[in-house]
Amino acid sequence: MTAPHPNQQYTLQGVATVDPKKQQSRALFGGKSGNADVVFKSIDPKLFGTTVHATVQEIPWTGQVGDSAQPLRLADQEVAVSEDGSVTLPMTGMNEMSAYQVILSPGGHGGTSAQPSVGWRGTYEAENATYTGSGYSKNGPEGTPSNVGGFATSGTYNVGGLRTGSDGVLAFGVDVPQDGAYDLSVFANSYNLYGLVQEQGPTNVFLRVDGTDPQELLLPLGYKWVVWGHTDTTVQLTAGRHRITLAAQDADLGVTKGDAIIDKIDLALRDKNVTSPAIYEAEYATLSGTRPQYTYRGASGPGAVPLSKGASATFWLYSPTDGEATLSLDRLGGGRAEVSVNGEKLDVAGADARKKGTDVVRAFLSGGISKVTVTGASHGLVLDRLRVAPSSGSSATKVYQAEDGTPSRAAKVTDAYTFAGGGKAVTGIGDGKANALAVDVFAKRAGRHAVTIRYSNAEQAPATHYNPDPITRHADLSVNGGPAKRVLFPTTFHFNAFRELTVPVTLKKGTNHLSFTAEELPDFDGDTYNPYDQRSPYAPVIDQIAVTPLSER
């Protein structure tokens, strides 16, 4: 990899690899806005042939604590290798906050190119928006080449003013190309230990489009100011100009409690490119006991992967929430496979093993990243790709409120956390096994189930710039009196900020007894305990428990 400005920070830089066994080259690069050419030189015709298949992806910046989805597919195309053995890929409209990847594989064998996974997008900086009302502040520049101790911020500036007692309105003028639904992301931050924020937790603000359709948004918390996350929603827009406002007061919905700073908003047209199932090509997966082949006509992408018995392809799938998803395994020719999600073997509804087809399984995915492994079982299956789409209705979920369970000793029901479901949750679990929460749940059939726990955890030690040092609380979960499994619950930055975490368990048919306790582990000597409060003896605050079968045919 030769960069335009070698060894200069905050310019276009990258790293490239060649994998001869997979017949692939990958380039990962970023650091520059605007346009640039990515040039692959000295392309080995023995590995790649005279035509290459190029997949171009973008990994957008999502803040320091904002979740990041699978890379966006910007282009998927066949490109002829020039007489000098090079391929040039023009990159246009790059964002210095994003990372980019190009995957180069052999082409020219009739593979089908995938459509982009993103359509129209727009970014609108808060410092360029119009602010009316009291309390306005323009903050920055934040992290820059001359201020490497500051946190990265889009456009280097942000805006404050939406807080308790404010009448501020931040108005963004946007112009969209067509009628439709648009995904809207608000990049924002509230410092969780700041006075106005401590009272409620997530700062609430009010969104309107052209003065109508009010929505209340809860903005993300962070362990310091300028630690960005994003809150996402969907708005309906007609083609043309619109005014999107974030306000501290709304005549229909109420007033803001807390204090927030706003970095930007992102809009993305929710067209068929976005709503189509996510595509994970088998030839790009992590392979064991096999390698890609690029001679299958009609394959998706540049090729496919033969999976003899015991050979496997491992994918890393993204899901925005804990819940059901439909996994479609597109295969060429015959063969059968076994599928596991995060180590849990699933039942696969087999198609006709003699023909090209699709095997479908409806599985429970945890919010974030799940590991899916497809292993050849018989008849020399050829795996083309894995398609993933959110779904519902196949797996019956039953939700139980924690306050309807049985707390013991110091564990108790509290109404102190307004964002808990039904306004109540259970606190005080732990600091000894006697302080527990017991919940009875029902399973329609015996087997593996997802237990999804809605919880909050605000413990943290004093933060530094590079080490936020939040404290992970834990719960020791026992099912039907069996051995307890220790489950770790990351920080949510406030006890009134709730998230979900899923644990796979084995349930019997009928009623099952779940018990949550917690107890601090001693130091390695087995006798002493951490004197700096860096390990918690408590479980998180528990709001509710949902039970879902891990898979359904």
Side-chain angles (χ1 to χ4, degrees):
M1 169 70 75
T2 302
H5 304 282
N7 303 316
Q8 292 186 29
Q9 296 183 10
Y10 308 103
T11 62
L12 185 63
Q13 300 289 331
V15 62
T17 66
V18 175
D19 185 337
K21 290 184 178 181
K22 293 185 78 172
Q23 294 176 263
Q24 290 176 11
S25 177
R26 298 190 181 216
L28 186 68
F29 55 96
K32 168 188 168 63
S33 291
N35 305 330
D37 287 341
V38 176
V39 183
F40 289 82
K41 295 182 178 180
S42 303
I43 293 175
D44 186 347
K46 293 181 181 179
L47 284 181
F48 294 95
T50 57
T51 300
V52 295
H53 191 103
T55 299
V56 184
Q57 300 172 330
E58 177 184 356
I59 304 99
W61 181 73
T62 53
Q64 288 85 352
V65 296
D67 65 321
S68 180
Q70 70 267 31
L72 301 172
R73 187 172 54 254
L74 302 183
D76 193 50
Q77 58 193 332
E78 302 261 294
V79 184
V81 179
S82 299
E83 291 184 0
D84 64 359
S86 69
V87 164
T88 298
L89 298 174
M91 298 292 300
T92 60
M94 289 192 299
N95 187 323
E96 65 182 359
M97 305 293 283
S98 292
Y100 296 87
Q101 178 175 233
V102 172
I103 306 175
L104 220 60
S105 308
H109 299 290
T112 302
S113 296
Q115 294 297 310
S117 63
V118 64
W120 180 91
R121 291 180 290 169
T123 293
Y124 304 89
E125 299 289 349
E127 62 268 25
N128 297 330
T130 301
Y131 189 96
T132 56
S134 60
Y136 175 79
S137 65
K138 178 181 176 181
N139 310 307
E142 306 290 1
T144 64
S146 60
N147 179 27
V148 295
F151 288 109
T153 300
S154 178
T156 72
Y157 289 90
N158 61 79
V159 167
L162 303 181
R163 61 176 65 95
T164 301
S166 168
D167 60 353
V169 177
L170 187 63
F172 297 84
V174 304
D175 202 331
V176 299
Q178 67 185 66
D179 298 358
Y182 288 78
D183 291 326
L184 187 151
S185 293
V186 180
F187 281 68
N189 163 245
S190 292
Y191 174 33
N192 65 334
L193 300 183
Y194 185 66
L196 291 178
V197 177
Q198 282 184 299
E199 178 183 356
Q200 175 175 269
T203 299
N204 61 316
V205 298
F206 306 98
L207 169 74
R208 284 182 179 256
V209 177
D210 300 326
T212 63
D213 302 323
Q215 297 184 43
E216 183 178 29
L217 303 181
L218 300 180
L219 301 182
L221 297 165
Y223 54 88
K224 280 181 176 291
W225 287 116
V226 202
V227 173
W228 303 107
H230 54 91
T231 294
D232 305 324
T233 188
T234 301
V235 294
Q236 295 289 332
L237 300 174
T238 56
R241 190 77 174 169
H242 295 275
R243 184 173 183 262
I244 295 177
T245 56
L246 300 174
Q249 298 181 11
D250 189 274
D252 297 324
L253 300 181
V255 297
T256 288
K257 294 181 180 179
D259 196 348
I261 52 176
I262 311 296
D263 184 19
K264 64 170 182 171
I265 65 170
D266 284 346
L267 276 178
L269 176 63
R270 194 166 181 75
D271 59 9
K272 64 180 181 180
N273 293 333
V274 175
T275 58
S276 295
I279 295 174
Y280 297 85
E281 297 287 355
E283 56 271 29
Y284 299 157
T286 300
L287 305 179
S288 176
T290 186
R291 61 180 62 181
Q293 292 185 9
Y294 300 99
T295 57
Y296 296 103
R297 291 200 170 272
S300 168
V305 175
L307 293 179
S308 59
K309 188 173 182 178
S312 66
T314 297
F315 304 85
W316 299 93
L317 310 186
Y318 169 79
S319 176
T321 60
D322 296 74
E324 180 188 312
T326 297
L327 312 184
S328 299
L329 282 70
D330 294 331
R331 52 180 175 75
L332 306 174
R336 294 191 181 277
E338 295 177 349
V339 180
S340 66
V341 176
N342 298 323
E344 301 284 342
K345 186 177 177 181
L346 305 182
D347 294 329
V348 178
D352 189 333
R354 297 167 297 175
K355 301 178 180 179
K356 175 180 178 180
T358 299
D359 295 332
V360 175
V361 60
R362 291 175 177 84
F364 189 99
L365 296 183
S366 296
I369 307 299
S370 290
K371 178 183 179 181
V372 175
T373 300
V374 182
T375 304
S378 64
H379 303 299
L381 176 143
V382 177
L383 183 62
D384 187 11
R385 64 183 179 180
L386 177 61
R387 291 178 292 128
V388 183
S391 58
S392 62
S394 296
S395 302
T397 298
K398 178 68 175 176
V399 178
Y400 303 85
Q401 297 299 327
E403 62 267 23
D404 295 332
T406 304
S408 58
R409 300 284 293 270
K412 62 181 181 180
V413 176
T414 178
D415 60 2
Y417 306 123
T418 56
F419 294 136
K424 293 182 179 180
V426 175
T427 188
I429 304 167
D431 198 20
K433 295 182 179 180
N435 307 314
L437 171 67
V439 179
D440 287 338
V441 303
F442 182 81
K444 188 175 180 180
R445 59 177 173 83
R448 298 292 279 171
H449 286 70
V451 172
T452 301
I453 303 157
R454 190 170 190 262
Y455 77 97
S456 67
N457 167 29
E459 280 204 57
Q460 69 185 72
T464 64
H465 179 77
Y466 292 105
N467 182 11
D469 208 11
I471 296 174
T472 298
R473 285 192 169 193
H474 71 274
D476 296 322
L477 171 60
S478 173
V479 180
N480 296 323
K485 176 180 180 180
R486 178 151 292 205
V487 182
L488 303 180
F489 294 84
T491 184
T492 65
F493 299 116
H494 197 282
F495 284 116
N496 200 27
F498 290 87
R499 296 182 187 171
E500 292 183 340
L501 185 139
T502 294
V503 184
V505 301
T506 299
L507 299 180
K508 64 182 182 181
K509 183 179 180 179
T511 300
N512 293 262
H513 185 76
L514 306 184
S515 175
F516 298 87
T517 62
E519 192 171 42
E520 181 181 354
L521 291 176
D523 294 328
F524 290 115
D525 60 15
D527 296 319
T528 60
Y529 290 82
N530 185 278
Y532 306 108
D533 296 326
Q534 292 173 312
R535 288 196 302 268
S536 176
Y538 291 100
V541 173
I542 296 180
D543 175 26
Q544 64 184 30
I545 296 100
V547 178
T548 312
L550 273 182
S551 65
E552 294 283 356
R553 284 183 179 269

